[in-house]
Amino acid sequence: MHSSPLVTSQWLQTHLQDPDLVVIEASIGKVIGKEPIVYESPVCIPNAIKLDIETDLSDLTSNAVHAFPSLEQMRSLLKRLGISQRQTLVIYDNQGIYAAPRVWWIFKTFGFDKVYILDGGLPHWLQERRTVADVYKESTGGAVDEELQLNPTYLKSSDEILSNIQSPSFTVVDARSEDRFMGRVAEPRQGVRSGHIPQSVNLPFPNVLNEYFYKSPQELGQIFGSLSLEPSRAIVFSCGSGITACILLVAAILAGRQQVSLYDGSWAEWGAGEVFPVEVGA
């Protein structure tokens, strides 16, 4: 396999029957920032397992919105699904590119090396009239990876974001719309202030996409270059609740950036916490 986070629909079609391939559909109930694709009847890529970010891959014991899953939660999920780190995972998205990057980053954070995103997702797969199914694969269960560990460097806490304002060592890039970033509109979540993290930079996530696909590495390099970020400077990605931030995170990797991480609490945490400073406007 190549080093890119992405695979093409042709690659996936060719390898669908590989015994060590696991196909995962990433789904989320509420789509914010783009017009959601609604399917009239069940349709999926053959042998796909469906994972829901809001239930399967969120720590439901946390008060945070879409909190990153705990180590024990991931061990339990992987045992139920029969998934191990020796397998190759391909994650696709029924919205094109929306929830899949978040699921990809979760697996990467827990040490999976052979995990990829289907560029174009299910919409492109259907456009090409490739093989489909109307039921998801039933999980059979299996042995758990006892070596499974969470890499803490892939995530940033609110304390780290706060201290970075006083002594900057990384740049926060916010994936929300410009109107939300500037504080021109009310936030969709009740009790959350409008505005953005001081010194953060805005890059709305649709800007790195061409419909269902990521833009080319060259285009993405120009986009990140236009933000005037130092090439060697670490980037931490934020959004409303840690989902669309991962779209930018993958785009940054495609653009050649290597020091990337996720502020998992994102604006749902920062905007609701009265102790955190907020900027409005430019």
Side-chain angles (χ1 to χ4, degrees), residues 19-71:
D20 277 340
L21 179 72
V22 179
V23 180
I24 294 172
E25 178 178 308
S27 68
I28 189 167
K30 191 171 185 179
V31 174
I32 297 175
K34 70 183 288 287
E35 187 66 30
I37 301 170
V38 179
Y39 295 87
E40 295 179 0
S41 55
V43 60
C44 61
I45 294 175
N47 296 322
I49 297 169
K50 186 174 184 178
L51 289 183
D52 189 316
I53 284 179
E54 294 169 299
T55 54
D56 299 311
L57 292 170
S58 290
D59 184 355
L60 301 180
T61 67
S62 170
N63 292 327
V65 181
H66 302 142
F68 219 76
S70 67
L71 180 59

Side-chain angles (χ1 to χ4, degrees), residues 118-130:
L118 176 63
D119 201 19
L122 183 61
H124 182 61
W125 187 271
L126 295 175
Q127 283 179 344
E128 294 184 312
R129 301 185 182 278
R130 296 188 183 273

